[in-house]
């Protein structure tokens, strides 16, 4: 193994990128990861060394959950000192959730963890898998003065590298499947790789890597809609084992001002169950108090998700509950950007 070349670990978790069509059923299913490298001989031309590790049973990312997040994190943690960067091949459906979760798990991350996948399987003639994979590896290999350029969890798809916890899957068909509405892309692949250095996350390099692995999943995501009713909503809020709620509200964080609704939130917050306000809009964020329809939310202690994505809000809530952050500190910490997930 050459010492001058960056050493990249490729972790295959599943997803379309490594799938083939079952000729009998025409359904896509995961295939042996070793074949993936055989299918892309171009990988040997890259200016880095690549090693691969695969989930024993690769999954469609619709089956992703915190146990798998821990599995991905432990693969990276166990190999952290031996590699300069990590590329995680993952189904696109829940990639933004996993990238968000991993960003919270890796405190003081000093190396790149780049998530990527594809809309078409690697064997397809018109596949987007090759470009996504090759450039993700290049992004993970970028170095300056012998140190990785990217020191955060990124997501690379269709010529752009994004901060993972800022992304959302926006299209089920287009190759341009992801968007980061509230934060600029970190790098772009054209004739050259153009890195936006000012926008990269700057971790405290004097601190040691800490990998957090506890998540609490007893949470709910509730999307408001005109006509939402007390009889349907109340049972969810008063459930005994509920530990936190993400509320997708209108516009800049607005909700109905009906008394039953505000009272339900108030009683829930009194039980020390955090309620996070995130917007249903793709871009922009929550600003409680801007309209009358959100001033009460502010006064009863609803937590502002600011411009966080729903995916990152859910991951952060599960992570902070797992870390057993005290109810007193919860609001302040949630409203603080931990990994560049909010502005
Ligand atoms: N259903 C697939 C998955 O998320 C889609 C993809 O890989 O893009 O695993």
């Amino acid at each position: 193994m050459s010492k001058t070349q960056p050493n990249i670990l490729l972790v295959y978790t599943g997803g379309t990128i490594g799938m083939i069509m079952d000729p009998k059923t025409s359904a896509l299913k995961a295939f042996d990861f070793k074949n993936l490298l055989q299918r892309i001989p171009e990988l040997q031309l890259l200016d880095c060394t690549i090693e691969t590790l695969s989930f024993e049973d690769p999954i469609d990312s619709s089956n992703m959950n915190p146990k798998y997040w821990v599995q991905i994190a432990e693969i990276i943690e166990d190999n952290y000192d031996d590699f300069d960067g990590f590329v995680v091949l993952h189904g696109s459906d829940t990639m933004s959730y996993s990238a968000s979760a991993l960003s919270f798990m890796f405190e003081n991350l000093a190396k790149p963890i780049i998530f990527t996948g594809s809309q078409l399987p690697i064997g397809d003639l018109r596949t987007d898998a090759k470009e996504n994979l090759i450039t993700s590896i290049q992004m993970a290999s970028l170095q300056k003065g012998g140190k990785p350029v990217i020191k955060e969890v990124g997501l690379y798809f269709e010529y752009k590298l994004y901060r993972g916890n800022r992304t959302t899957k926006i299209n089920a068909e287009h190759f341009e499947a992801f968007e980061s509405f509230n934060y600029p892309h970190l790098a772009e692949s054209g004739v050259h790789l153009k890195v936006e250095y000012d926008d990269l996350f700057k971790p405290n390099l004097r601190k040691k890597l800490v990998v957090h692995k506890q998540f609490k999943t007893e949470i709910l995501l509730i999307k408001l809609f005109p006509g939402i009713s007390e009889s349907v909503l109340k049972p969810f809020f008063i459930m005994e084992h509920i530990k936190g709620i993400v509320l997708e509200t209108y516009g800049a964080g607005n909700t109905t001002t009906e008394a039953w609704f505000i009272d339900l939130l108030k009683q829930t917050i009194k039980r020390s169950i955090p309620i996070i306000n995130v917007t249903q809009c793709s871009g922009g964020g929550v600003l409680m108090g801007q309209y009358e329809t959100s001033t009460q939310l502010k006064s009863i202690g609803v937590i502002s998700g600011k411009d966080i994505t729903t995916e990152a809000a859910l991951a952060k809530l599960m992570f902070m509950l797992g870390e057993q952050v005290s109810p007193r500190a919860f609001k302040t910490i949630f409203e603080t950007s931990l990994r560049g997930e909010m502005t």
Side-chain angles (χ1 to χ4, degrees), residues 14-17 19 59-62 90-94 118-119 169:
T16 303
I17 194 162
M19 286 183 176
I59 57 162
D60 185 295
S61 80
S62 305
H90 190 292
S92 62
D93 287 347
T94 62
S118 66
Q119 293 281 56
K169 185 172 179 184

Side-chain angles (χ1 to χ4, degrees), residues 198-255:
D198 290 346
D199 296 322
L200 295 176
F201 189 72
K202 301 186 182 59
N204 185 340
L205 295 173
R206 278 179 306 234
K207 290 195 173 168
K208 263 195 78 180
L209 177 76
V210 185
V211 186
H212 303 270
K213 297 179 192 170
Q214 302 299 325
F215 289 94
K216 282 233 157 57
T217 54
E218 297 95 336
I219 64 164
L220 263 181
L221 167 63
I222 292 170
K223 182 170 186 159
L224 292 193
F225 58 91
I228 198 162
S229 64
E230 181 178 12
S231 61
V232 169
L233 209 50
K234 197 168 176 180
F236 292 111
F237 278 73
I238 61 174
M239 259 191 294
E240 223 176 279
H241 57 283
I242 193 81
K243 300 236 163 35
I245 296 172
V246 174
L247 207 58
E248 263 199 10
T249 60
Y250 311 125
N254 307 312
T255 64

Side-chain angles (χ1 to χ4, degrees), residues 117-158:
S118 66
Q119 293 281 56
L120 283 176
I122 202 100
D124 196 289
L125 203 56
R126 295 173 45 253
T127 189
D128 52 333
K130 283 192 184 185
E131 201 286 318
N132 286 348
L133 175 59
I134 290 169
T135 311
S136 292
I137 296 171
Q138 285 190 314
M139 294 283 182
S141 310
L142 288 176
Q143 296 206 335
K144 227 181 180 181
K147 297 264 182 264
V149 168
I150 294 148
K151 304 175 196 77
E152 61 180 299
V153 178
L155 187 155
Y156 182 82
F157 224 88
E158 194 62 5

Side-chain angles (χ1 to χ4, degrees), residues 21-40:
M21 198 178 276
D22 184 328
K24 281 191 207 125
T25 62
S26 293
L28 289 174
K29 58 172 197 184
F31 78 112
D32 190 349
F33 180 65
K34 286 178 211 109
N35 296 342
L36 186 74
L37 292 178
Q38 281 167 21
R39 276 169 198 266
I40 315 182

Side-chain angles (χ1 to χ4, degrees), residues 258-302:
E258 285 174 84
W260 68 263
F261 181 75
I262 301 297
D263 199 51
L264 196 55
L265 301 190
K266 202 170 162 181
Q267 296 313 323
T268 309
I269 294 168
K270 269 200 186 141
R271 285 162 54 216
S272 295
I273 294 162
I275 298 180
I276 320 298
N277 187 352
V278 302
T279 178
Q280 291 177 12
C281 296
S282 311
V286 164
L287 196 62
M288 286 188 285
Q290 190 184 14
Y291 290 90
E292 207 185 356
T293 42
S294 66
T295 38
Q296 276 175 295
L297 304 181
K298 194 175 180 179
S299 64
I300 63 173
V302 170

